[in-house]
Amino acid sequence: MIISPSVEILNKLIRHQIHNLFLLETVEEAVLARSLPEALYKTEKCFGQSKNKYYKKDGEVFFSIYHSGQYCVFLYFLARQVFLESPECRNLADKVYFLNKTLNGLDLYYEIEMPEVFHLDHPVGSVMGRASYGNNFTFSQLCTVGNNKGVFPKIGENVQMLSGSKILGQCVIGDNVIVSANTYIKDTDVPANSLVFGSSPNLVIKQRMS
């Protein structure tokens, strides 16, 4: 993977941002260094499946640390890696999570298991809750995935949430579903290969044409 401008600058940038916002302890610097390679590996695997032209350069996976969407995904993987690999440094995982939230306006907690490949486009104002997410999940700005009475949705593969859409509660969203802009799904199942719009309980569900 091509990292622009460099891994060294990325290292310095993370440390500088965390230290200026929250303070970075000496022991946390070592944990960051240990977690970074695996976070970059997962980032490369995720970006490698993107069809966005900005994620490839000269036939290789490309990661610009000054591309907010790319940096957003990377920070999620970094926070989660710190959490999984060094649970004793949970404060550091929190700092990376809050850094992501501060910079990108996205609430994506490190305890949430996103799929290996997921995509986002201008995710400002989005909140991703503790749902089950299938591979190639995509979301945009002002999207919400959350619970109703403690129950979270199950989301299949290749699901796209367009801007302002919401999926809440006891929902099973099938594979290859497009959730239209400003759609509100609550405690409702949506079959695979569908286009859905409107608001529960009066959703309109149409078969997608292949």
Side-chain angles (χ1 to χ4, degrees):
M1 178 169 64
I2 300 170
I3 300 174
S4 176
S6 67
V7 176
E8 291 74 23
I9 296 296
L10 175 62
N11 248 313
K12 291 179 181 178
L13 181 65
I14 296 166
R15 285 167 168 74
H16 180 76
Q17 289 174 332
I18 294 175
H19 185 72
N20 281 340
L21 284 174
F22 310 112
L23 298 181
L24 184 64
E25 306 294 337
T26 302
V27 66
E28 293 175 334
E29 291 191 17
V31 173
L32 274 179
R34 189 167 67 240
S35 301
L36 186 61
E38 184 65 18
L40 286 173
Y41 170 76
K42 291 178 178 177
T43 300
E44 180 177 11
K45 193 170 186 178
C46 182
F47 289 179
Q49 299 300 312
S50 176
K51 296 179 181 179
N52 189 316
K53 65 180 180 180
Y54 296 110
Y55 288 68
K56 296 283 176 61
K57 187 175 184 179
D58 300 326
E60 290 190 56
V61 178
F62 181 70
F63 171 26
S64 169
I65 65 178
Y66 302 125
H67 182 291
S68 62
Q70 294 178 0
Y71 196 53
C72 179
V73 173
F74 163 73
L75 287 176
Y76 161 75
F77 282 125
L78 181 61
R80 183 158 176 82
Q81 189 60 34
V82 170
F83 167 67
L84 293 175
E85 189 174 295
S86 305
E88 74 282 2
C89 286
R90 191 182 182 99
N91 281 349
L92 177 59
D94 284 333
K95 292 175 184 180
V96 180
Y97 157 69
F98 281 124
L99 174 62
N100 202 1
K101 194 173 182 180
T102 301
L103 292 175
N104 299 302
L106 169 66
D107 195 328
L108 180 55
Y109 195 44
Y110 54 79
E111 286 190 2
I112 295 165
E113 185 177 2
M114 297 300 288
E116 289 184 345
V117 178
F118 70 98
H119 315 283
L120 50 81
D121 188 24
H122 307 296
V124 176
S126 290
V127 179
M128 295 293 110
R130 298 173 185 268
S132 170
Y133 297 92
N135 232 16
N136 286 310
F137 174 68
T138 303
F139 65 95
S140 190
Q141 66 268 26
L142 300 174
C143 292
T144 301
V145 176
N147 79 91
N148 182 37
K149 299 178 181 178
V151 180
F152 285 87
K154 296 180 180 179
I155 299 174
E157 296 187 351
N158 305 310
V159 172
Q160 301 176 50
M161 292 184 70
L162 303 187
S163 62
S165 58
K166 298 174 177 61
I167 305 174
L168 304 176
Q170 191 169 332
C171 307
V172 177
I173 310 299
D175 297 342
N176 308 309
V177 167
I178 296 177
V179 183
S180 299
N182 301 313
T183 296
Y184 176 69
I185 304 173
K186 178 183 175 185
D187 297 333
T188 307
D189 293 346
V190 178
N193 305 305
S194 296
L195 170 66
V196 56
F197 54 94
S199 296
S200 293
N202 300 309
L203 291 169
V204 178
I205 300 173
K206 294 187 175 183
Q207 187 78 13
R208 285 183 63 188
M209 303 299 292
S210 57

